[in-house]
């Protein structure tokens, strides 16, 4: 009988050597538990094929073909990804809702001798935790906003605060966007909305609620990604430190900040 896990807190997840997402690559790309590796037991095409057969032809045949793909894919992972794992290796596995895909992988890993657990409810359980914390419950973190005009080096100040040991929430870093009309990163795309929320939820879970969290003042959207309403409301009620700089200094800061765009005129 596979052991199932309900607690997905930071401290609980750290006890495992690895968190494995066995969903298809497209599912993983849309959202996943931060830090999880993707070892799909069904590829995107295989998942589509099995699903079509299941709905239109035969459930039995879909399960047979699905099992063929799953065992072959897990076999490849055993020869590659798991080849160097020690006898003490302990992974945590999840699929969409804690069903056949995660249980298939976990059963085989357990049979090898690795103490393997699965997330009860799978990815859906994680998503429910994210929605509950960011959309339904009031945030109880003590935020302090770093505010000021564009070019006053708010992000650098946030980075310096983190280096000094303070708790910081870098929303622009998580959103892969500098929060302005030219704010996109040339070398990185923005995460999906769901994964952006997962990153925020995961970061907030790291903080000591008895200590302040410094965060840059932002509008409700960073690029194409929307901040959770509860976070926006909390930021509006929080104290702020206003950073001021004259136009010349702001211009120099902006040239430095947007150097990647200057190097790439197109």
């Amino acid at each position: 009988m596979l052991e199932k896990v309900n607690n997905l807190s930071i401290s609980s997840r750290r006890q495992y050597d690895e968190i494995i997402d066995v969903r298809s690559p497209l599912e993983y790309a849309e959202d996943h538990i931060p830090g999880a590796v993707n070892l799909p037991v069904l590829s995107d095409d295989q998942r589509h094929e099995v699903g079509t057969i299941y709905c239109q032809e035969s459930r039995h045949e879909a399960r047979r073909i699905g099992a063929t793909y799953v065992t072959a894919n897990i076999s490849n992972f055993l020869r590659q990804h798991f080849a160097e794992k020690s006898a003490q290796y302990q992974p945590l596995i999840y699929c969409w809702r804690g069903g056949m895909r995660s249980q298939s992988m976990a059963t085989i890993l357990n049979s090898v001798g690795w103490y393997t657990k699965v997330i009860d409810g799978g990815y859906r359980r994680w998503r429910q935790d994210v929605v509950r914390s960011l959309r339904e419950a009031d945030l109880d973190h003590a935020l302090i906003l770093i505010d000021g005009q564009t070019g006053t080096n708010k992000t650098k100040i946030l980075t310096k605060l983190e280096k000094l040991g303070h708790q910081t929430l870098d929303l622009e870093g998580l959103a892969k966007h500098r929060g302005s009309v030219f704010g996109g990163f040339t070398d990185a795309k923005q995460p999906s909305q769901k994964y952006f929320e997962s990153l925020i939820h995961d970061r907030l879970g790291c903080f000591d609620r008895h200590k302040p969290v410094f965060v840059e003042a932002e509008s409700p959207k960073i690029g194409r990604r929307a901040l959770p309403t509860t976070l926006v409301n909390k930021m509006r009620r929080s104290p702020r430190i206003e950073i001021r700089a004259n136009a010349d200094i702001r211009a120099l800061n902006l040239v430095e900040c947007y150097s990647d765009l200057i190097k790439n005129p197109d």
Side-chain angles (χ1 to χ4, degrees), residues 3-249:
E3 186 172 349
K4 296 188 176 182
V5 171
N6 291 303
N7 186 354
L8 299 181
S9 66
I10 292 284
S11 58
S12 176
R13 293 183 346 243
R14 282 176 179 165
Q15 66 182 290
Y16 302 99
D17 295 310
E18 197 166 42
I19 300 176
I20 301 174
D21 184 327
V22 299
R23 297 175 304 152
S24 69
L26 284 177
E27 292 175 290
Y28 177 84
E30 181 184 24
D31 187 24
H32 56 272
I33 297 176
V37 298
N38 187 211
L39 301 180
V41 298
L42 288 175
S43 69
D44 294 315
D45 289 342
Q46 290 168 348
R47 178 170 174 261
H48 176 73
E49 177 188 351
V50 171
T52 300
I53 295 172
Y54 186 89
C55 294
Q56 299 180 4
E57 300 179 25
S58 164
R59 293 183 178 182
H60 174 77
E61 184 64 8
R63 291 192 182 100
R64 185 190 68 79
I65 293 176
T68 302
Y69 288 142
V70 167
T71 52
N73 291 331
I74 294 176
S75 178
N76 287 331
F77 293 136
L78 287 170
R79 286 192 296 266
Q80 300 169 17
H81 182 82
F82 298 108
E84 303 300 324
K85 303 300 182 186
S86 72
Q88 289 72 44
Y89 173 69
Q90 294 186 25
L92 176 64
I93 297 178
Y94 70 94
C95 60
W96 173 251
R97 54 185 178 185
M100 292 181 64
R101 287 184 289 177
S102 59
Q103 291 183 38
S104 296
M105 174 78 87
T107 298
I108 292 176
L109 296 189
N110 268 330
S111 70
V112 173
W114 291 312
Y115 186 41
T116 308
K117 297 181 183 179
V118 298
I119 295 177
D120 189 16
Y123 163 78
R124 287 187 9 176
R125 175 59 181 269
W126 168 259
R127 182 60 187 169
Q128 288 168 358
D129 286 353
V130 173
V131 171
R132 190 180 302 111
S133 71
L134 297 182
R135 298 185 182 181
E136 298 174 359
D138 291 332
L139 295 179
D140 57 359
H141 297 76
L143 303 182
I144 297 179
L145 271 61
I146 305 297
D147 201 358
Q149 292 179 299
T150 300
T152 52
N153 265 350
K154 300 185 294 293
T155 301
K156 276 192 174 182
I157 292 172
L158 206 64
T159 301
K160 182 67 173 179
L161 285 167
E162 183 174 17
K163 289 181 179 179
L164 291 172
H166 296 284
Q167 299 185 142
T168 63
L169 178 61
D170 183 2
L171 294 170
E172 292 182 0
L174 298 180
K176 295 290 188 289
H177 198 281
R178 285 167 292 211
S180 69
V181 67
F182 297 115
F185 294 161
T186 57
D187 59 347
K189 294 182 179 180
Q190 286 200 270
S192 70
Q193 179 64 36
K194 286 184 177 180
Y195 189 51
F196 180 48
E197 293 172 3
S198 284
L199 291 170
I200 294 174
H201 170 74
D202 194 60
R203 183 64 176 161
L204 289 173
C206 297
F207 296 144
D208 182 343
R209 284 170 169 75
H210 297 96
K211 297 180 180 180
V213 177
F214 292 92
V215 57
E216 186 175 339
E218 302 285 356
S219 63
K221 291 189 72 174
I222 302 178
R224 296 179 179 273
R225 299 298 162 251
L227 294 179
T229 302
T230 54
L231 179 57
V232 172
N233 292 338
K234 181 71 174 183
M235 291 169 68
R236 287 173 175 169
R237 300 192 303 266
S238 299
R240 62 188 63 217
I241 299 170
E242 184 179 358
I243 311 301
R244 298 180 182 179
N246 64 40
D248 289 340
I249 291 176

